[in-house]
């Protein structure tokens, strides 16, 4: 099955292709000639995922899915949340700046419980010729370490220690992360739906 994943993020593409396996041919935005910046102006991760998937369906007429992910720290009222990629002021996807701000905001607090949430919005054309949306969510709980650990992964992976583990996502490596992560859980639901 051929389907567009609305991203050009090489890390996400690799992760999704590994999770979905050989039954699916996953095309990136550049594979379909989409080089514009797709707006992400929603105030929830669900809205952002829907916005990106709808954009591809409307402008490129492809079945597609898009995801958005947020790291939510409970003691910070859910920050960085929908702003996870742009948490540090004046930056865009600057992981080092984002992690530095998060550690500053938490300070010496012992209340470091957090969760990663991924929402996937799937747009498929139905027999009526219209696109229909289905959303899938994955979540993993854990805590924010006091300093970065590990070199694998991307984003906040060096700071996030999932429940049941004493190592960060960045220390656990891709094989373990791809089995237990928020994205893996959402993609498993997506895969089951597509195969079903």
């Amino acid at each position: 099955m051929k389907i567009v994943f609305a991203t050009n993020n090489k890390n996400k593409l690799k992760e999704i292709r590994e999770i979905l396996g050989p039954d699916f041919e996953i095309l990136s935005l550049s594979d379909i000639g989409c080089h514009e910046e797709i707006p992400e102006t929603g105030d929830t991760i669900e809205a952002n995922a829907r916005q990106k998937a709808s954009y591809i369906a409307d402008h490129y007429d492809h079945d597609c899915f898009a995801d958005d992910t947020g790291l939510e720290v409970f003691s910070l009222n859910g920050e960085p949340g929908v702003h996870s990629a742009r948490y540090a002021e004046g930056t865009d996807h600057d992981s080092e700046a984002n992690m530095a701000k998060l550690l500053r905001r938490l300070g010496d607090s012992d209340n470091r419980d957090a969760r990663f949430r991924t929402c996937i919005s799937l747009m498929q054309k139905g027999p009526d010729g219209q696109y229909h949306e289905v959303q899938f969510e994955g979540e993993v709980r854990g805590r924010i370490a006091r300093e970065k650990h590990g070199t694998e992964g991307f984003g906040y992976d060096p700071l996030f220690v999932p429940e049941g583990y004493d190592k960060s996502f960045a220390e656990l490596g891709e094989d373990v992360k791809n089995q237990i992560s928020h994205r893996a859980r959402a993609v498993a639901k997506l895969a089951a739906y597509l195969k079903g």
Side-chain angles (χ1 to χ4, degrees):
M1 176 187 285
K2 189 182 287 194
I3 192 163
V4 176
F5 178 25
T7 189
N8 276 321
N9 180 317
K10 288 180 173 56
N11 293 311
K12 281 188 181 183
L13 272 168
K14 183 172 184 282
E15 198 171 272
I16 291 279
R17 284 175 174 148
E18 284 172 3
I19 294 168
L20 281 177
D23 293 342
F24 297 91
E25 184 185 346
I26 307 299
L27 303 176
S28 68
L29 291 176
S30 58
D31 290 333
I32 61 165
C34 176
H35 302 289
E36 58 266 36
E37 226 11 75
I38 299 177
E40 285 183 69
T41 55
D43 30 6
T44 64
I45 64 171
E46 292 84 358
N48 277 343
R50 177 179 301 116
Q51 192 173 24
K52 289 186 279 189
S54 297
Y55 185 93
I56 298 307
D58 294 345
H59 292 79
Y60 291 88
D61 196 24
H62 279 288
D63 284 2
C64 68
F65 64 93
D67 78 324
D68 199 33
T69 294
L71 173 64
E72 299 172 350
V73 181
F74 300 125
S75 65
L76 299 179
N77 297 315
E79 282 184 28
V82 72
H83 305 292
S84 292
R86 298 170 184 82
Y87 190 42
E89 287 78 9
T91 68
D92 183 16
H93 295 87
D94 182 340
S95 298
E96 293 301 321
N98 291 334
M99 287 188 285
K101 178 176 179 178
L102 181 59
L103 289 175
R104 276 196 312 276
R105 293 274 291 125
L106 279 168
D108 292 330
S109 171
D110 290 326
N111 188 354
R112 304 178 88 81
D113 291 346
R115 68 178 177 179
F116 261 124
R117 273 195 324 126
T118 290
C119 179
I120 293 176
S121 175
L122 170 68
M123 289 287 181
Q124 282 186 303
K125 190 177 272 190
D128 59 358
Q130 302 298 310
Y131 279 96
H132 301 275
E133 183 199 25
V134 185
Q135 285 199 337
F136 309 91
E137 190 176 305
E139 174 184 308
V140 64
R141 290 183 177 245
R143 61 186 166 77
I144 304 301
R146 293 184 179 274
E147 58 188 35
K148 296 185 299 178
H149 297 281
T151 56
E152 298 271 320
F154 57 98
Y156 295 89
D157 287 357
L159 288 180
F160 186 81
V161 179
E163 261 179 14
Y165 293 83
D166 58 3
K167 291 181 174 172
S168 74
F169 270 161
E171 291 174 291
L172 290 170
E174 287 180 18
D175 288 347
V176 175
K177 182 188 172 189
N178 286 351
Q179 291 171 23
I180 65 168
S181 78
H182 45 294
R183 187 171 290 109
R185 291 172 179 178
V187 171
K189 293 175 185 175
L190 169 71
Y193 179 85
L194 289 173
K195 288 172 181 172

